[in-house]
Amino acid sequence: MLQKTSHFMRQANFIDGAWVNADSGQTIDVVNPASGQTIGTVPKAGTAETRRAIEAAEAAFHSWKKTSADHRAKLLRKLHDAIMDNQDALAELLVMEQGKSFAEAKGEVGMSAAYILWYAEEGRRVYGDVVPSPWADRRILVTKEPVGVIGAITPWNFPSSMLARKLGPALASGCTAVAKPASQTPYSGLAWGVLCEEVGFPKGVVNIVTGAASEIGDELCQNPLVRKITFTGSTEVGKTLIEKTAGTVKKVSMELGGNAPFLVFDDADIDRAVEGAIAAKYRNSGQTCVCTNRFFVQAGVYEAFVEKLSAAAERLKVGPGLEEGTQQGPLIDEKAVEKVEELIADATSKGGKLAAGGSRHALGGTFFQPTVISNATPDMRFMKEEIFGPVAPVFRFETEEEAVKLANDTVFGLACYFYTGDLGRAFRVMEGLKYGLVGVNEGIITTVEAPFGGLKESGLGKEGGHQGIEDYLDTKYVCIGGLGL
């Protein structure tokens, strides 16, 4: 391991500006999914440590909220620069614990820095209002203030950028934070503690706790000092967190599961659609919430699309993330592989045909072949279930109305994609799809400048864009009377 990378790989929690172990002394092993080898341990913290982190964040909030937006922006710009100065080291650390290719990891770290820079600027644009008063001798002001301590719970698939999307707006608005990274990928989360410490954030402003998800999550949800929970993960866990925050009526932002459809119409540029499909399906080995889950292809181009997609999938280089040229790394763990195998078995038992892949890769471990299944039908499990693996089921449709209806036939509403050469169809379909993110003739659409977030059971709130800072702010109305005007 590079010396710079080991500098960021902290095997302790960051609470109130100090690096500490769990009270119990217990630890959790962190495993490299490409090799199956343990690369280190992190503390198995619980309720007591989380409470101390929350109390540290609350103490820090009283002075941090009084700093100027300009001061916070300057610190965030320093944080952005520190991330970019160490982009390769942070990317290598990410690959070691998560498995994605180095190129993807480097892109994720760059995206993390971009979110920090974006919110460094957005924090300076938290405007209030002066409202025309109905009373001659009174004035009405509307101001925005930071909500307070926020709890951030992040997933293993994007362990750096998902935290950036939460810490960026929180710190820019004047909030303080307690973050709980996923146990499979804690080092990319703990690295934020190293970075924040080095660029000069005051102690207690950022705290990072690893360990028992239920204990840490319960304390974050139920402690009245925490005023907002922001979570990225499964819909099932998100619903539990919403229930648990009800007792203290916290703000919540939930970026939950997806079931992304990818529609290809007869009039689409098929080569462009295949290129977009590869990016939208196999990025991070299919382990993203905005990954395509269901391909719907119009009958006239169905065979051509399946043939070209299968050929492109088979060309993908599967291997360890740090190996040069790798495009698809391993799945996160054995459980993920078993889920993919179950879904493939279900599909083939119901008439699905393997057009590419379909089984574990020759590399062994949790590596899996990029897979394409043709003749997919709505009675197959992946019509309703999130795959979270490198499997592309391709359904056939006849009419535009049928395609939109199939695409919307899910409780989820995060991302969707479609390809067409017809401008009228582009608007009809865009307006007909019930999703928070829509890609028209594009397979990768996430950017810091735009709001990211789902509809229906895919979540609440937005991350990114100018909208992303709003959930970290309280709106206050002030009526000033007795002015004698």
Side-chain angles (χ1 to χ4, degrees):
M1 193 199 302
L2 295 172
Q3 191 177 351
K4 268 192 152 186
T5 302
S6 58
H7 168 68
F8 290 106
M9 189 176 148
R10 294 299 170 97
Q11 302 192 65
N13 283 178
F14 189 57
I15 299 175
D16 201 18
W19 292 97
V20 295
N21 294 317
D23 292 357
S24 65
Q26 289 185 294
T27 58
I28 297 169
D29 288 346
V30 183
V31 175
N32 181 334
S35 66
Q37 293 178 335
T38 299
I39 54 175
T41 64
V42 291
K44 189 177 183 182
T47 305
E49 297 91 337
T50 309
R51 189 168 297 157
R52 284 201 297 276
I54 292 167
E55 287 165 359
E58 171 67 15
F61 175 63
H62 294 289
S63 53
W64 180 245
K65 70 178 178 182
K66 291 175 183 170
T67 58
S68 70
D70 182 62
H71 172 77
R72 298 193 296 271
K74 282 174 180 162
L75 264 180
L76 285 165
R77 283 200 291 273
K78 282 176 72 178
L79 179 57
H80 162 271
D81 294 347
I83 296 167
M84 293 309 293
D85 288 346
N86 295 284
Q87 188 175 13
D88 283 1
L90 291 165
E92 185 183 70
L93 183 62
L94 205 166
V95 174
M96 285 167 55
E97 61 179 352
Q98 203 279 334
K100 66 179 63 176
S101 72
F102 181 73
E104 281 193 39
K106 196 169 174 179
E108 179 180 340
V109 172
M111 179 73 97
S112 298
Y115 274 112
I116 296 301
L117 188 61
W118 175 260
Y119 284 109
E121 296 305 317
E122 281 304 300
R124 299 170 65 211
R125 291 190 259 279
V126 176
Y127 301 138
D129 294 293
V130 177
V131 179
S133 172
W135 305 285
D137 63 344
R138 302 186 204 176
R139 295 293 178 266
I140 295 174
L141 306 180
V142 178
T143 61
K144 301 283 181 74
E145 297 177 355
V147 296
V149 177
I150 69 114
I153 303 171
T154 53
W156 52 260
N157 56 347
F158 289 92
S160 179
S161 61
M162 294 300 102
L163 199 44
R165 290 207 305 217
K166 301 174 191 315
L167 287 181
L171 298 176
S173 62
C175 296
T176 55
V178 178
K180 189 252 171 236
S183 293
Q184 295 104 317
T185 55
Y187 294 129
S188 292
L190 290 164
W192 283 90
V194 180
L195 291 159
C196 288
E197 184 179 35
E198 288 181 354
V199 302
F201 281 89
K203 70 172 193 171
V205 170
V206 174
N207 305 271
I208 300 162
V209 184
T210 60
S214 57
E215 284 189 41
I216 296 170
D218 283 359
E219 184 62 26
L220 288 173
C221 287
Q222 292 162 7
N223 192 310
L225 296 177
V226 178
R227 295 314 312 148
K228 173 186 166 63
I229 294 288
T230 171
F231 170 72
T232 300
S234 72
T235 294
E236 182 187 12
V237 173
K239 288 177 178 178
T240 303
L241 294 175
I242 292 169
E243 284 176 14
K244 287 180 175 177
T245 57
T248 48
V249 195
K250 300 187 198 310
K251 285 194 174 210
V252 292
S253 297
M254 294 281 151
E255 201 262 277
L256 308 177
N259 189 2
F262 188 112
L263 283 53
V264 183
F265 291 95
D266 283 347
D267 52 27
D269 177 335
I270 298 302
D271 290 330
R272 185 180 176 88
V274 168
E275 188 183 334
I278 290 291
K281 174 70 252 183
Y282 298 104
R283 185 167 63 107
N284 200 17
S285 305
Q287 301 172 117
T288 91
C289 51
V290 294
C291 262
T292 300
N293 210 59
R294 303 165 295 151
F295 286 91
F296 297 104
V297 182
Q298 203 158 12
V301 293
Y302 185 88
E303 304 300 341
F305 180 82
V306 168
E307 188 179 323
K308 289 187 173 190
L309 179 64
S310 302
E314 286 175 340
R315 283 196 298 271
L316 290 171
K317 185 185 174 187
V318 178
L322 292 174
E323 206 171 273
E324 199 168 333
T326 291
Q327 293 168 290
Q328 182 186 298
L331 294 183
I332 190 68
D333 55 27
E334 181 62 25
K335 202 167 119 190
V337 178
E338 288 168 4
K339 168 84 185 288
V340 165
E341 287 180 324
E342 269 182 41
L343 291 170
I344 292 172
D346 170 73
T348 52
S349 73
K350 292 170 180 170
K353 299 276 193 299
L354 288 171
S359 56
R360 293 175 187 241
H361 198 273
L363 288 168
T366 59
F367 289 95
F368 205 90
Q369 295 173 335
T371 300
V372 178
I373 298 176
S374 62
N375 295 353
T377 53
D379 64 336
M380 294 174 184
R381 277 174 57 186
F382 37 48
M383 184 68 184
K384 303 290 186 191
E385 292 180 42
E386 200 169 9
I387 299 167
F388 245 62
V391 180
V394 191
F395 300 75
R396 187 190 305 259
F397 72 86
E398 299 290 339
T399 67
E400 184 184 306
E401 293 74 21
E402 180 192 2
V404 172
K405 187 177 176 187
L406 282 166
N408 286 337
D409 185 17
T410 173
V411 297
F412 299 105
L414 185 54
C416 63
Y417 313 90
F418 70 91
Y419 280 70
T420 179
D422 182 311
L423 185 61
R425 171 173 278 161
F427 276 88
R428 288 193 303 274
V429 174
M430 172 185 73
E431 291 168 6
L433 290 166
K434 191 73 174 166
Y435 288 83
L437 292 81
V438 184
V440 185
N441 296 330
E442 290 294 343
I444 299 282
I445 60 173
T446 306
T447 180
V448 300
E449 293 84 357
F452 185 106
L455 311 178
K456 301 195 287 186
E457 291 191 20
S458 284
L460 302 162
K462 300 294 178 190
E463 294 185 322
H466 69 82
Q467 296 88 347
I469 204 166
E470 288 165 11
D471 278 345
Y472 296 83
L473 298 165
D474 286 330
T475 300
K476 182 182 282 187
Y477 154 50
V478 182
C479 179
I480 304 169
L483 298 177
L485 298 169

